[in-house]
Amino acid sequence: MVKMFINWLIVSACCLTYVAAYITREAFVIIVPNKQKSCFSKSFSKSIKVIFEFRVTEGGNQDIDARIVSPNGLVIFKDLKSKGNEVSFNAQNGDFKFCFSNEFSQVTSKRVAFNIRPYDEASLSEESGGNKFPKAKSALEAFCDNIHFLMTTVMDFQMKYMVRESMGRYVAENLNRRVMWWSMGLSAVIVVTGFGQVFVFKKFFTERRSSTKPQALTT
Protein backbone atom coordinates (compact mmCIF):
# COMPACT_ATOMS: atom_id res chain seq x y z
CA MET A 1 0.00 0.00 0.00
CA VAL A 2 2.80 2.35 0.93
CA LYS A 3 4.63 1.49 -2.30
CA MET A 4 1.54 2.28 -4.38
CA PHE A 5 1.17 5.60 -2.61
CA ILE A 6 4.82 6.47 -3.28
CA ASN A 7 4.40 5.57 -6.95
CA TRP A 8 1.32 7.76 -7.14
CA LEU A 9 3.26 10.66 -5.62
CA ILE A 10 6.06 10.19 -8.15
CA VAL A 11 3.64 10.13 -11.09
CA SER A 12 1.86 13.21 -9.80
CA ALA A 13 5.17 15.00 -9.34
CA CYS A 14 6.17 14.13 -12.92
CA CYS A 15 2.88 15.47 -14.28
CA LEU A 16 3.18 18.68 -12.28
CA THR A 17 6.79 19.01 -13.38
CA TYR A 18 5.86 18.67 -17.04
CA VAL A 19 3.08 21.26 -16.70
CA ALA A 20 5.38 23.69 -14.89
CA ALA A 21 8.13 23.22 -17.48
CA TYR A 22 5.63 23.76 -20.28
CA ILE A 23 4.35 26.97 -18.73
CA THR A 24 7.80 28.47 -18.15
CA ARG A 25 8.77 27.80 -21.79
CA GLU A 26 7.20 29.43 -24.78
CA ALA A 27 7.84 28.02 -28.27
CA PHE A 28 6.28 29.39 -31.43
CA VAL A 29 6.38 28.78 -35.17
CA ILE A 30 5.43 31.73 -37.39
CA ILE A 31 5.43 32.58 -41.09
CA VAL A 32 6.73 36.02 -42.04
CA PRO A 33 5.51 37.04 -45.52
CA ASN A 34 7.83 38.76 -47.97
CA LYS A 35 8.22 42.54 -47.60
CA GLN A 36 6.74 42.38 -44.09
CA LYS A 37 7.77 42.02 -40.46
CA SER A 38 6.22 40.49 -37.36
CA CYS A 39 6.72 41.46 -33.72
CA PHE A 40 5.73 39.69 -30.52
CA SER A 41 5.81 41.05 -26.99
CA LYS A 42 6.36 39.33 -23.66
CA SER A 43 5.87 40.85 -20.23
CA PHE A 44 8.29 40.22 -17.38
CA SER A 45 7.24 41.00 -13.83
CA LYS A 46 10.70 40.68 -12.29
CA SER A 47 14.35 40.83 -13.22
CA ILE A 48 15.37 37.52 -14.75
CA LYS A 49 17.93 36.22 -17.22
CA VAL A 50 16.31 34.55 -20.22
CA ILE A 51 17.41 32.88 -23.46
CA PHE A 52 15.97 33.81 -26.84
CA GLU A 53 16.61 31.28 -29.61
CA PHE A 54 15.36 31.32 -33.19
CA ARG A 55 15.93 29.37 -36.38
CA VAL A 56 14.68 29.85 -39.94
CA THR A 57 13.34 26.48 -41.08
CA GLU A 58 11.87 27.29 -44.48
CA GLY A 59 11.93 29.88 -47.26
CA GLY A 60 14.49 31.29 -49.68
CA ASN A 61 18.02 31.26 -48.32
CA GLN A 62 16.65 30.59 -44.81
CA ASP A 63 17.69 33.98 -43.45
CA ILE A 64 15.86 36.76 -41.65
CA ASP A 65 16.47 39.95 -39.64
CA ALA A 66 15.87 39.56 -35.91
CA ARG A 67 15.99 42.03 -33.04
CA ILE A 68 14.97 42.44 -29.40
CA VAL A 69 13.58 45.78 -28.20
CA SER A 70 13.53 46.69 -24.51
CA PRO A 71 10.55 48.43 -22.84
CA ASN A 72 12.27 51.84 -23.20
CA GLY A 73 12.67 51.36 -26.97
CA LEU A 74 16.35 50.42 -27.09
CA VAL A 75 17.47 47.61 -29.42
CA ILE A 76 19.45 45.25 -27.19
CA PHE A 77 20.00 42.59 -29.87
CA LYS A 78 20.11 42.78 -33.67
CA ASP A 79 21.06 40.14 -36.22
CA LEU A 80 20.73 40.80 -39.96
CA LYS A 81 20.08 38.06 -42.53
CA SER A 82 20.73 35.34 -40.02
CA LYS A 83 19.77 31.69 -40.34
CA GLY A 84 19.45 31.36 -36.58
CA ASN A 85 20.99 32.41 -33.31
CA GLU A 86 20.79 32.06 -29.54
CA VAL A 87 21.23 34.99 -27.18
CA SER A 88 20.81 35.53 -23.45
CA PHE A 89 19.89 38.86 -21.85
CA ASN A 90 18.69 40.27 -18.55
CA ALA A 91 14.99 41.03 -18.70
CA GLN A 92 13.47 43.61 -16.38
CA ASN A 93 9.96 44.73 -15.56
CA GLY A 94 8.06 45.63 -18.71
CA ASP A 95 7.20 44.43 -22.19
CA PHE A 96 9.99 43.20 -24.44
CA LYS A 97 9.43 42.95 -28.19
CA PHE A 98 10.83 40.18 -30.37
CA CYS A 99 10.71 41.20 -34.03
CA PHE A 100 11.43 39.34 -37.27
CA SER A 101 11.76 41.30 -40.50
CA ASN A 102 11.50 39.83 -44.00
CA GLU A 103 11.36 43.19 -45.75
CA PHE A 104 14.51 42.52 -47.79
CA SER A 105 12.91 39.48 -49.46
CA GLN A 106 10.92 40.33 -52.57
CA VAL A 107 9.49 36.89 -53.38
CA THR A 108 9.66 34.24 -50.66
CA SER A 109 8.14 34.09 -47.20
CA LYS A 110 10.05 32.69 -44.22
CA ARG A 111 9.06 30.20 -41.57
CA VAL A 112 10.68 30.88 -38.20
CA ALA A 113 10.71 28.77 -35.04
CA PHE A 114 11.70 30.50 -31.81
CA ASN A 115 11.43 29.99 -28.08
CA ILE A 116 11.93 31.97 -24.91
CA ARG A 117 13.08 30.20 -21.76
CA PRO A 118 14.75 31.09 -18.45
CA TYR A 119 18.53 30.85 -18.29
CA ASP A 120 18.56 29.22 -14.84
CA GLU A 121 15.93 26.69 -13.94
CA ALA A 122 13.96 27.58 -10.83
CA SER A 123 12.75 24.99 -8.37
CA LEU A 124 9.11 23.95 -8.26
CA SER A 125 8.55 25.89 -5.05
CA GLU A 126 10.01 29.06 -6.61
CA GLU A 127 7.85 28.71 -9.72
CA SER A 128 4.76 28.23 -7.59
CA GLY A 129 5.65 31.32 -5.54
CA GLY A 130 5.84 29.48 -2.25
CA ASN A 131 9.57 29.81 -1.59
CA LYS A 132 9.56 33.17 0.14
CA PHE A 133 12.15 32.22 2.72
CA PRO A 134 15.12 29.90 2.22
CA LYS A 135 14.74 26.52 3.88
CA ALA A 136 16.20 23.08 3.68
CA LYS A 137 14.67 20.77 1.09
CA SER A 138 13.26 17.44 2.00
CA ALA A 139 14.22 14.29 0.10
CA LEU A 140 10.95 14.32 -1.85
CA GLU A 141 11.37 18.00 -2.81
CA ALA A 142 14.91 17.41 -4.00
CA PHE A 143 13.74 14.39 -5.97
CA CYS A 144 10.94 16.40 -7.62
CA ASP A 145 13.33 19.26 -8.43
CA ASN A 146 15.69 16.78 -10.07
CA ILE A 147 12.83 15.42 -12.18
CA HIS A 148 11.85 18.99 -13.06
CA PHE A 149 15.37 19.80 -14.22
CA LEU A 150 15.60 16.63 -16.31
CA MET A 151 12.19 17.24 -17.89
CA THR A 152 13.09 20.78 -18.89
CA THR A 153 16.34 19.50 -20.40
CA VAL A 154 14.40 16.92 -22.40
CA MET A 155 12.01 19.63 -23.62
CA ASP A 156 14.93 21.77 -24.79
CA PHE A 157 16.35 18.86 -26.79
CA GLN A 158 12.91 18.10 -28.22
CA MET A 159 12.53 21.69 -29.42
CA LYS A 160 15.93 21.61 -31.10
CA TYR A 161 15.30 18.25 -32.74
CA MET A 162 11.90 19.40 -33.97
CA VAL A 163 13.51 22.43 -35.59
CA ARG A 164 16.22 20.28 -37.19
CA GLU A 165 13.63 17.81 -38.42
CA SER A 166 11.60 20.64 -39.95
CA MET A 167 14.68 22.02 -41.70
CA GLY A 168 15.64 18.59 -43.02
CA ARG A 169 12.12 17.97 -44.28
CA TYR A 170 12.11 21.33 -46.07
CA VAL A 171 15.44 20.57 -47.77
CA ALA A 172 14.27 17.09 -48.76
CA GLU A 173 10.95 18.33 -50.15
CA ASN A 174 12.64 21.17 -52.01
CA LEU A 175 15.21 18.78 -53.50
CA ASN A 176 12.47 16.30 -54.40
CA ARG A 177 10.49 19.03 -56.15
CA ARG A 178 13.51 20.17 -58.15
CA VAL A 179 14.37 16.60 -59.16
CA MET A 180 10.76 16.05 -60.25
CA TRP A 181 10.69 19.16 -62.46
CA TRP A 182 14.14 18.32 -63.89
CA SER A 183 13.00 14.79 -64.70
CA MET A 184 9.82 16.07 -66.34
CA GLY A 185 11.87 18.52 -68.41
CA LEU A 186 14.27 15.80 -69.53
CA SER A 187 11.34 13.52 -70.39
CA ALA A 188 9.76 16.25 -72.49
CA VAL A 189 13.08 16.86 -74.31
CA ILE A 190 13.50 13.14 -75.01
CA VAL A 191 9.94 12.82 -76.36
CA VAL A 192 10.28 15.91 -78.58
CA THR A 193 13.69 14.73 -79.84
CA GLY A 194 12.30 11.27 -80.65
CA PHE A 195 9.33 12.62 -82.59
CA GLY A 196 11.59 15.09 -84.36
CA GLN A 197 13.99 12.34 -85.48
CA VAL A 198 11.11 10.17 -86.71
CA PHE A 199 9.68 13.11 -88.63
CA VAL A 200 13.02 13.99 -90.21
CA PHE A 201 13.80 10.40 -91.27
CA LYS A 202 10.29 9.90 -92.60
CA LYS A 203 10.54 13.06 -94.65
CA PHE A 204 13.97 12.05 -95.91
CA PHE A 205 12.85 8.65 -97.24
CA THR A 206 9.53 9.86 -98.67
CA GLU A 207 11.04 12.74 -100.60
CA ARG A 208 9.94 12.79 -104.25
CA ARG A 209 12.60 12.93 -106.94
CA SER A 210 12.24 14.31 -110.47
CA SER A 211 12.04 11.73 -113.37
CA THR A 212 15.21 11.14 -115.47
CA LYS A 213 13.46 9.54 -118.53
CA PRO A 214 14.12 11.26 -121.93
CA GLN A 215 11.10 13.05 -123.23
CA ALA A 216 9.91 12.57 -126.85
CA LEU A 217 10.34 15.55 -129.10
CA THR A 218 7.27 16.71 -130.97
CA THR A 219 7.59 18.05 -134.52
Side-chain angles (χ1 to χ4, degrees), residues 43-112:
S43 299
F44 295 94
S45 58
K46 61 179 181 179
S47 179
I48 183 176
K49 190 174 183 179
V50 297
I51 296 177
F52 171 66
E53 183 180 6
F54 71 95
R55 182 74 58 181
V56 182
T57 62
E58 182 178 335
N61 295 326
Q62 296 183 349
D63 55 351
I64 202 166
D65 296 341
R67 62 177 180 172
I68 303 175
V69 183
S70 63
N72 55 5
L74 295 178
V75 178
I76 61 177
F77 171 76
K78 187 176 182 181
D79 198 0
L80 300 178
K81 293 186 178 181
S82 174
K83 297 181 181 296
N85 205 339
E86 179 178 340
V87 61
S88 60
F89 64 97
N90 294 319
Q92 300 175 354
N93 297 338
D95 295 336
F96 282 77
K97 290 184 179 181
F98 303 88
C99 298
F100 299 98
S101 175
N102 195 28
E103 295 176 335
F104 61 89
S105 180
Q106 302 295 324
V107 180
T108 58
S109 59
K110 307 294 174 59
R111 185 182 182 189
V112 184

Side-chain angles (χ1 to χ4, degrees), residues 110-173:
K110 307 294 174 59
R111 185 182 182 189
V112 184
F114 69 97
N115 66 80
I116 305 168
R117 64 182 187 272
Y119 186 84
D120 296 321
E121 296 298 334
S123 63
L124 292 175
S125 58
E126 292 176 353
E127 291 184 357
S128 61
N131 191 15
K132 296 182 180 180
F133 302 99
K135 61 178 181 180
K137 295 182 181 180
S138 63
L140 183 59
E141 289 177 343
F143 182 72
C144 291
D145 286 339
N146 188 26
I147 295 177
H148 174 63
F149 174 75
L150 294 177
M151 290 291 290
T152 52
T153 304
V154 169
M155 290 186 64
D156 291 339
F157 278 110
Q158 285 181 341
M159 292 178 185
K160 292 182 179 180
Y161 286 136
M162 287 174 62
V163 171
R164 292 180 181 179
E165 188 271 337
S166 179
M167 294 174 64
R169 184 172 64 251
Y170 167 73
V171 173
E173 291 177 353

Side-chain angles (χ1 to χ4, degrees), residues 7-20:
N7 292 333
W8 179 82
L9 285 178
I10 294 175
V11 173
S12 300
C14 291
C15 294
L16 292 175
T17 300
Y18 183 81
V19 172

Side-chain angles (χ1 to χ4, degrees), residues 147-214:
I147 295 177
H148 174 63
F149 174 75
L150 294 177
M151 290 291 290
T152 52
T153 304
V154 169
M155 290 186 64
D156 291 339
F157 278 110
Q158 285 181 341
M159 292 178 185
K160 292 182 179 180
Y161 286 136
M162 287 174 62
V163 171
R164 292 180 181 179
E165 188 271 337
S166 179
M167 294 174 64
R169 184 172 64 251
Y170 167 73
V171 173
E173 291 177 353
N174 191 23
L175 181 61
N176 185 28
R177 185 169 56 252
R178 293 184 179 182
V179 171
M180 181 190 68
W181 286 111
W182 178 257
S183 300
M184 292 178 63
L186 286 180
S187 301
V189 171
I190 292 173
V191 171
V192 171
T193 303
F195 278 105
Q197 289 178 349
V198 171
F199 177 77
V200 170
F201 279 104
K202 184 178 179 181
K203 186 177 180 181
F204 177 76
F205 286 107
T206 58
E207 184 178 0
R208 295 182 179 180
R209 297 183 178 181
S210 59
S211 178
T212 57
K213 293 182 179 181

